[in-house]
Amino acid sequence: MAFELKNTVPWGRNLSEYKSMFNLSDADLDKRIISFGDGPASFNKEMTKLNKSVISIDPVYRFSTNELKQRIDETKDIVIEQTQNNLENFVWTHIKNVEELKKVRLSAMNDFLDDFELGKKEKRYINHEMPNATQFSDFSFDLALSSHFLILYSQLGLAFHVDTITEMLRVAKEIRIFPILNLNAQKSELLDDIINHYQDSFIVKIVKVGYEFQKNGNEMLIIQRK
Ligand SMILES: C[S@@+](CC[C@H](N)C(=O)[O-])C[C@H]1O[C@@H](n2cnc3c(N)ncnc32)[C@H](O)[C@@H]1O
């Protein structure tokens, strides 16, 4: 199925959230990082400003700044309304309420939009749809991240996940995936199969993190080369 703008719901997080979702230490921030399904997050922009190295991968990067801005405008109130209707699925300690959520998300997405044209020129934002093979050679990166893409979108299926994770492990020495719940805030039905698939050949760990917005969503999956 073609990747169409009308089927996307852009929603982006910021560097502070990425740091806590992935337990990123100062040493981690200095690593060569690739982030899959990075969408309109401000992670790349904020990291680049700190002279760190991040490449973001997402099929939404085929659209123009104006198209993405328009799509964000069309969908933002729908996402907020859905969150408002499911308040009990979320933890409102760090972000206090839906108004603050909207402010934080729009601020991250506007930061992304401001950086998008320059970042495309600098090849920091790459239009690419997983699980297709990327352009990068083996171990071009120390760390590959997936925030709110793999495992959360469990409907993509096990084969999609295995193919995508295998490609991530080809280009990076370690991958981190957050969260490990599905969209219903339940343990993802794919998690055990993914762990079983990799645990003989790789070091596979579930690690607690300092971020919890989806209720019980405070763990990440790490897969590392032995
Ligand atoms: C909920 S957003 C998360 C954005 C960002 N990582 C964050 O946490 O703020 C999920 C992203 O996954 C991307 N995505 C969906 N299918 C994909 C695919 N096949 N390959 C790469 N990215 C994909 C979407 O375009 C979207 O930007």
Side-chain angles (χ1 to χ4, degrees):
M1 200 173 67
F3 193 87
E4 293 184 55
L5 190 62
K6 67 174 165 53
N7 297 329
T8 66
V9 181
W11 209 230
R13 292 162 188 80
N14 60 33
L15 171 60
S16 159
E17 293 180 290
Y18 269 63
K19 278 189 193 169
S20 29
M21 290 187 292
F22 296 112
N23 282 352
L24 294 174
S25 63
D26 287 348
D28 287 333
L29 295 177
D30 283 331
K31 291 177 176 169
R32 295 166 305 166
I33 298 177
I34 182 165
S35 191
F36 289 82
D38 224 22
S42 60
F43 177 60
N44 191 318
K45 178 189 176 169
E46 294 184 77
M47 285 286 279
T48 302
K49 231 167 132 190
L50 298 172
N51 286 322
K52 311 292 185 191
S53 163
V54 177
I55 291 195
S56 299
I57 302 289
D58 202 299
V60 292
Y61 300 152
R62 70 189 57 176
F63 303 116
S64 69
T65 305
N66 280 342
E67 285 172 321
L68 289 175
K69 188 174 177 336
Q70 195 181 337
R71 189 65 192 150
I72 291 168
D73 285 342
E74 283 164 10
T75 54
K76 61 182 195 295
D77 290 330
I78 301 168
V79 183
I80 290 297
E81 193 187 322
Q82 283 167 352
T83 311
Q84 179 74 53
N85 291 340
N86 292 286
L87 286 179
E88 67 286 356
N89 286 346
F90 300 95
V91 176
W92 299 99
T93 45
H94 184 60
I95 293 178
K96 298 279 182 290
N97 50 47
V98 282
E99 288 75 33
E100 190 181 339
L101 177 69
K102 186 172 175 181
K103 212 165 118 200
V104 171
R105 292 283 166 275
L106 286 181
S107 165
M109 292 193 283
N110 284 329
D111 272 354
F112 159 80
L113 290 170
D114 286 346
D115 184 47
F116 188 42
E117 290 307 321
L118 177 65
K120 273 195 283 191
K121 279 195 202 111
E122 293 178 348
K123 299 192 167 45
R124 291 185 282 110
Y125 295 112
I126 303 210
N127 162 30
H128 180 83
E129 189 167 356
M130 300 307 289
N132 300 321
T134 60
Q135 62 190 265
F136 302 105
S137 47
D138 297 358
F139 307 126
S140 304
F141 302 92
D142 303 303
L143 190 55
L145 304 177
S146 159
S147 158
H148 295 84
F149 162 43
L150 293 174
I151 298 187
L152 180 69
Y153 291 178
S154 53
Q155 71 275 15
L156 292 167
L158 184 62
F160 177 95
H161 278 75
V162 167
D163 291 349
T164 299
I165 291 171
T166 300
E167 174 63 6
M168 290 167 76
L169 286 165
R170 182 185 70 75
V171 299
K173 295 174 194 156
E174 174 182 336
I175 74 169
R176 299 185 193 176
I177 299 175
F178 178 90
I180 56 175
L181 303 180
N182 61 24
L183 286 168
N184 298 321
Q186 306 292 330
K187 178 186 162 183
S188 169
E189 49 280 33
L190 298 180
L191 188 62
D192 291 341
D193 286 339
I194 292 172
I195 291 173
N196 287 337
H197 187 90
Y198 290 100
Q199 68 184 358
D200 289 342
S201 313
F202 293 86
I203 300 164
V204 180
K205 294 184 270 196
I206 290 178
V207 173
K208 215 167 217 129
V209 302
Y211 184 97
E212 184 178 0
F213 184 52
Q214 260 184 319
K215 219 170 251 175
N216 301 319
N218 61 349
E219 291 176 316
M220 69 171 156
L221 177 68
I222 300 185
I223 308 180
Q224 291 166 320
R225 301 233 142 230
K226 279 187 177 166

